[in-house]
Amino acid sequence: MWVALAEKAYAQLNESGGIYQDNTNSYSGIGNGGYIADALQNITGSKVLMSVPLDLNIIIKATNLGESIGFGSKLKPIADNIVSAHAYALVNYNPSTQKFTLFNPWGIDSSSKPAFLELSWSEIESNFSYWDTTKQYT
């Protein structure tokens, strides 16, 4: 739920001209490009690390520490249920199943793709090219 609220806040921030999109208070105004890291920094006020290579152990560590994480999908994802070149929020990691739950903010009412995806690490590697986070884990 927090991701949807954050996205709405980001749309409102766009209206002020602070994120260099089209200065409208709309989802379409923020849905035409941009960087996950910019959104994380604007919404959380935290410093961010962008375009981090995929690394299972570092992502799990960041998740366990409660950091905000966004994944960028590949231009040509393998899975049909993933939007290409799109931002997804990591909302959960289940250590017992070793599955990640990602949220597609377009999936609520404006996409044929699902809002929530439960993916294994191999599915993450196959369909996503990087992740951005509110803290550096190296």
Side-chain angles (χ1 to χ4, degrees):
M1 180 58 135
W2 70 266
V3 175
L5 291 173
E7 186 180 32
K8 179 59 181 165
Y10 202 58
Q12 290 177 337
L13 179 64
N14 181 45
E15 186 175 29
S16 73
I19 61 170
Y20 313 109
Q21 296 288 326
D22 69 357
N23 300 344
T24 64
N25 183 354
S26 67
Y27 293 116
S28 63
I30 61 171
N32 296 316
Y35 298 100
I36 298 168
D38 289 344
L40 287 174
Q41 186 172 21
N42 287 327
I43 293 168
T44 68
S46 299
K47 291 184 179 181
V48 296
L49 187 62
M50 68 184 287
S51 299
V52 182
L54 297 175
D55 182 307
L56 175 63
N57 293 324
I58 295 174
I59 291 170
I60 290 172
K61 179 180 178 182
T63 301
N64 290 338
L65 291 172
E67 294 299 331
S68 299
I69 296 172
F71 283 95
S73 62
K74 293 180 177 180
L75 289 174
K76 294 184 180 181
I78 293 175
D80 290 338
N81 60 344
I82 295 176
V83 179
S84 64
H86 184 53
Y88 283 78
L90 176 61
V91 294
N92 189 45
Y93 172 69
N94 184 331
S96 59
T97 63
Q98 298 184 338
K99 295 273 187 163
F100 295 85
T101 303
L102 303 186
F103 176 70
N104 165 17
W106 290 356
I108 298 294
D109 48 42
S110 64
S111 173
S112 61
K113 311 294 184 185
F116 291 94
L117 298 170
E118 191 173 88
L119 303 172
S120 67
W121 178 247
S122 64
E123 291 170 312
I124 296 278
E125 288 182 305
S126 297
N127 294 285
F128 295 86
S129 54
Y130 69 93
W131 64 293
D132 292 350
T133 183
T134 52
K135 191 170 180 180
Q136 183 172 350
Y137 295 95
T138 54

